[in-house]
Amino acid sequence: MRAGSARGAPCRLAGWVLGLVIATAAGCGGSRPPSVSPATRSAVAHADDAERARRHDQARALYQAALREAADPLSRAYAARAYADVLLLWGEAVAAAEALQAVVEAAPEDPAGWHDLGIVRHSLGDLVGAQTALQRAVALAPADPRPHIALAALYWKTGQRAEAVAEYRVLLTLELPARVRAKVEWAVEQLTRPAEPGSLTKTAKPS
């Protein structure tokens, strides 16, 4: 239940993100932090085993214990990320946002944690919080298209057209799959198209 399944949950929550087909089997998150304590790795592994066996209540208690007993920031980030992944799999977005907040508090330089926190905050209707988190993810990982895609779509959704155009144009400087590049070029065209005199713009925003 690692990257290929639970970690893909933030991507599924972000169906509104224009061109998010760039997300691959690796999911939205990056690799787990290095130098995690063996005790925390073992505790998370036991929680994973319980979840795979569909003992959900036991798994919840074990993830919470792993997070509570983690002795250092990297271990706390590791345990919180594992718990957030499973909470998203269970459809518990509010609790997942709290776990992802714990991730970024323990590992504030982790762009994946900020990205996923932004996506989950958006799913909960916290657009200001989502924007803050996605801006942080972009600052930490400027060469990763995913936070740029999410932030540009959020700008567009909230009517910040100039900011959206700027973000999409940054995307065009990055290496992108052809179909994603085509979507980004379409977005720029739509956002920069002059409105017809006497009519409301018909440009559709991401929903």
Side-chain angles (χ1 to χ4, degrees), residues 46-47 49-51 53 55-64 90:
H46 281 105
D49 288 343
E51 170 56 20
R55 299 193 299 270
H56 303 307
D57 289 343
Q58 181 185 9
R60 186 188 301 274
L62 289 170
Y63 285 119
Q64 291 173 344
W90 293 341

Side-chain angles (χ1 to χ4, degrees), residues 113-170:
W114 285 108
H115 171 272
D116 293 353
L117 178 59
I119 296 299
V120 175
R121 281 177 173 174
H122 177 268
S123 77
L124 294 170
D126 179 8
L127 301 186
V128 173
Q131 180 172 311
T132 298
L134 291 171
Q135 287 172 335
R136 182 65 175 153
V138 164
L140 289 168
D144 186 344
R146 290 167 295 188
H148 288 286
I149 289 170
L151 182 57
L154 180 58
Y155 282 145
W156 191 353
K157 183 182 181 73
T158 55
Q160 301 175 77
R161 297 171 68 89
E163 290 83 354
V165 170
E167 205 63 46
Y168 282 126
R169 284 178 170 157
V170 170

Side-chain angles (χ1 to χ4, degrees), residues 155-198:
Y155 282 145
W156 191 353
K157 183 182 181 73
T158 55
Q160 301 175 77
R161 297 171 68 89
E163 290 83 354
V165 170
E167 205 63 46
Y168 282 126
R169 284 178 170 157
V170 170
L171 271 165
L172 292 174
T173 69
L174 304 179
E175 184 175 348
L176 301 172
R179 58 181 176 173
V180 175
R181 182 170 295 277
K183 287 178 178 289
V184 173
E185 291 171 344
W186 174 86
V188 172
E189 179 185 357
Q190 295 298 309
L191 285 163
T192 57
R193 177 183 297 172
E196 296 180 6

